[in-house]
Amino acid sequence: MKIAVIAKTRLPIVEPFRGGLEAFTHSLCKEYLRLGHEVTLYAHRDSDPALNVKGFYGEENRDSDYFEIYENDEYLSILKDIEKNNFDIVHNNSTHELPIIWGVKETVPVVTTIHTPPISKLKAATTICSGSENLHFVFPSDSFRKSWHPFINSRSKVIHNGVDLEKWPLIRENSEYLFWYGRMVHSKGLDIVIDAAIEMNMPLKFAGPLDDKKYFEEHIQPFLSENITYLGHLKQSEIHQQMIGAAAVISAVRWEEPFGLTTIEAMSAGVPIAGFDRGAFRELINNESGVVAEQKNVKSLVKAIEAAIQLESSNVRCHAEKFSIETMAERYIKFFEEII
């Protein structure tokens, strides 16, 4: 099968990943290629060349006041190139509205995996266009599909995200510290995790890109100490090594997260999860792999962490194996074949 994959072009699809969307796109393209399909990834030009990248754009104009116009031109160039290359299917993983609008008039089927909440332009495009027989939509969780249901006028499918289980082998050996990793922004709730660690008098290590420097300087940096340690922006192999001594990984998000790839990665390494009942969290864990905080506050989160720490690593890993990259990619390919 000849597959065009459209990425979000703002960030390169390469390690260290800035977020789950970049990690998802990278691992899925690798798996498509491993399964013997012909893949062209339309992405930022600094993306991993092993993914057969067609990179039209890099860092130019990223800080311009007119970036939105520039970004529109990026996607128009990508779509024009796709029209010339006789693909069997287009897998759209961008968060931009143009691939959806463009797909209405095309003969090549367009499958869009929705990765963001219903935001203005993307919501408008799906509301107007999703009745087209040529457009198809995938959601990474049931809870997320429900949030989009009022704006999607066609059949949609849920395909849970997956991770490379060989890349995230069982490694947890002891319970020395709490661990958190992700983008440092208010919605991810790292400050809440710090409060919980302090309440428990337990060390916390965390990693990730400083996407919101003001948030970091005001809510995170004042608490850095021997017990609260920032490790920097790490590659996945470096994050995996931190799982050796992790008592638990914490999810304290302030938004309805569509999936939560870090939850699966941590569980794959044998580390149990404790978190708030937000977004897809309940869909990703079971009683042997994680604990849901009864309320969305620090005291409830502490109780959940204390319970999660007791969970057996082998059982945690066993549950994570339901979310393999192989299963995810095979489900996408089967969906593509049905559409074609």
Side-chain angles (χ1 to χ4, degrees), residues 56-85:
F56 286 85
Y57 303 92
E59 292 302 313
E60 59 269 27
N61 297 315
R62 298 287 163 185
D63 297 321
S64 169
D65 292 338
Y66 304 102
F67 174 72
E68 188 173 337
I69 297 171
Y70 173 76
E71 188 178 42
N72 287 341
D73 287 342
E74 285 185 346
Y75 284 105
L76 288 172
S77 297
I78 287 169
L79 298 171
K80 186 176 181 180
D81 193 79
I82 289 174
E83 290 173 356
K84 299 175 183 177
N85 282 281

Side-chain angles (χ1 to χ4, degrees), residues 141 160-161 249-251 257 259-268 271-294 301 304-305 307-308 311 315-323:
S141 64
H160 286 133
N161 292 346
V249 164
I250 320 303
S251 173
E257 197 159 47
F259 189 74
L261 208 55
T262 57
T263 294
I264 308 302
E265 293 166 349
M267 290 193 303
S268 181
V271 181
I273 309 296
F276 292 149
D277 187 10
R278 301 294 299 261
F281 188 65
R282 280 191 184 272
E283 288 180 56
L284 307 187
I285 65 168
N286 65 3
N287 292 336
E288 295 185 321
S289 62
V291 180
V292 179
E294 293 181 2
L301 184 59
I305 295 168
L311 298 175
N315 293 335
V316 177
R317 164 70 184 197
C318 184
H319 179 66
E321 289 173 356
K322 298 177 182 179
F323 299 93

Side-chain angles (χ1 to χ4, degrees), residues 132-270:
S132 167
E133 292 184 359
N134 198 50
L135 298 178
H136 310 268
F137 296 88
V138 174
F139 296 90
S141 64
D142 285 311
S143 63
F144 193 50
R145 176 164 64 172
K146 288 175 184 175
S147 71
W148 269 92
H149 179 73
F151 315 110
I152 299 290
N153 301 314
S154 63
R155 180 174 59 91
S156 63
K157 191 176 187 69
V158 172
I159 299 178
H160 286 133
N161 292 346
V163 303
D164 185 343
L165 297 172
E166 292 184 2
K167 195 174 180 179
W168 295 90
L170 177 62
I171 196 174
R172 182 185 187 229
E173 294 179 355
N174 44 52
S175 302
E176 297 176 3
Y177 47 81
L178 303 177
F179 188 57
W180 180 96
Y181 64 106
R183 293 184 302 111
M184 268 172 266
V185 293
H186 183 263
S187 63
K188 293 290 188 177
L190 174 57
D191 56 299
I192 302 172
V193 176
I194 290 174
D195 288 343
I198 293 172
E199 178 81 13
M200 298 176 70
N201 193 28
M202 193 165 183
L204 168 69
K205 295 183 180 182
F206 64 94
L210 300 178
D211 277 16
D212 186 336
K213 291 183 178 179
K214 183 179 179 182
Y215 167 74
F216 180 80
E217 291 169 356
E218 293 182 359
H219 299 282
I220 307 302
Q221 197 167 33
F223 296 96
L224 296 182
S225 66
E226 290 184 0
N227 263 4
I228 310 292
T229 311
Y230 176 42
L231 304 176
H233 187 192
L234 304 181
K235 292 183 178 181
Q236 289 191 324
S237 60
E238 295 169 326
I239 291 171
H240 181 253
Q241 286 299 309
Q242 295 299 323
M243 302 294 184
I244 292 176
V249 164
I250 320 303
S251 173
V253 294
R254 289 185 167 98
W255 68 308
E256 306 310 316
E257 197 159 47
F259 189 74
L261 208 55
T262 57
T263 294
I264 308 302
E265 293 166 349
M267 290 193 303
S268 181

